Amino acid sequence: MRQQSVLRFLAASLLASWLVSLPFAASAAPLALDVQGMIGRTNDASHSVYHISEADLLKLPVHTITTSTTWTPKSTFAGPLLGDVLKLVDARADGIELRTIDDYSYTVSAREAERYGAILAYSRNGVRLTVSNFGPLFLIYPRDAYPSELSGSAAEAKFVWQIKGMVVK
Ligand SMILES: Nc1nc2c(c(=O)[nH]1)N[C@H]1C(S)=C(S)[C@@H](COP(=O)(O)O)O[C@H]1N2
Ligand SMILES: [Mo]
């Protein structure tokens, strides 16, 4: 009888520690963004980078875009407007070079992104994006609303995933 309750206690402890570790395991790459280049505001010692933390990102107004992409079925993405992130760092040029965990880089136009209301999505259907699922940040445009403008290989290049940094230039 006593042995049984010890086993039950062990099983419960294991389950509890597994449950507690879940949110951490699910977001292995930190939700953060380093911005440099032509920006008016910095927060690092060398005055060249604005390090946007997870808390900073979550403080910005949340916008959603419900759309399919070439890689994902119709779903609802959520995150701040790229435009609001650019305002936060006082961006002073239109070219936004996006840098990613997989070392892809692509330069989008801030004005164009603003026109479409593009968002830096950190979640899809309420689930935080992990690195293996386009996270921590995925630049999403409303493709289903503008299928002719936002489909095809030239447009696909703008849907940059695994974003970790930006250079304003
Ligand atoms: N992080 C990241 N985003 C990316 C890419 C990439 O390699 N890495 N490729 C871009 C390009 S050029 C295109 S056409 C599409 C499709 O890339 P794929 O053909 O490798 O799937 O995603 C875009 N976004
Ligand atoms: Mo591409």
Side-chain angles (χ1 to χ4, degrees):
M1 193 59 185
R2 191 182 296 156
Q3 221 171 24
Q4 236 173 34
S5 61
V6 166
L7 279 176
R8 226 175 301 146
F9 172 77
L10 281 175
S13 312
L14 273 175
L15 181 65
S17 61
W18 175 72
L19 284 173
V20 164
S21 71
L22 268 183
F24 302 100
S27 52
L31 176 54
L33 185 65
D34 281 335
V35 190
Q36 51 190 306
M38 298 183 60
I39 55 177
R41 218 168 283 133
T42 60
N43 66 359
D44 73 324
S46 64
H47 304 291
S48 60
V49 180
Y50 196 110
H51 176 80
I52 305 180
S53 68
E54 169 162 348
D56 296 333
L57 283 166
L58 296 178
K59 252 183 268 163
L60 293 172
V62 184
H63 291 253
T64 61
I65 293 178
T66 300
T67 189
S68 64
T69 73
T70 304
W71 314 274
T72 49
K74 185 176 172 186
S75 26
T76 298
F77 293 90
L81 290 173
L82 175 63
D84 282 344
V85 173
L86 295 175
K87 271 182 210 126
L88 177 67
V89 300
D90 186 18
R92 295 173 173 182
D94 189 58
I96 311 299
E97 180 188 329
L98 301 159
R99 295 185 169 178
T100 72
I101 290 173
D102 63 341
D103 284 332
Y104 174 72
S105 99
Y106 190 77
T107 300
V108 300
S109 155
R111 234 173 292 126
E112 187 195 68
E114 192 140 7
R115 186 154 51 80
Y116 287 117
I119 64 173
L120 281 169
Y122 47 63
S123 75
R124 180 164 83 93
N125 293 336
V127 179
R128 202 62 89 72
L129 300 176
T130 60
V131 174
S132 50
N133 261 307
F134 312 102
L137 291 164
F138 190 178
L139 182 62
I140 294 291
Y141 298 76
R143 183 180 86 151
D144 290 355
Y146 303 91
S148 57
E149 298 166 35
L150 292 172
S151 302
S153 55
E156 280 177 0
K158 299 173 189 171
F159 289 72
V160 179
W161 57 80
Q162 292 182 334
I163 296 170
K164 64 175 181 186
M166 310 199 292
V167 184
V168 180
K169 57 188 199 185

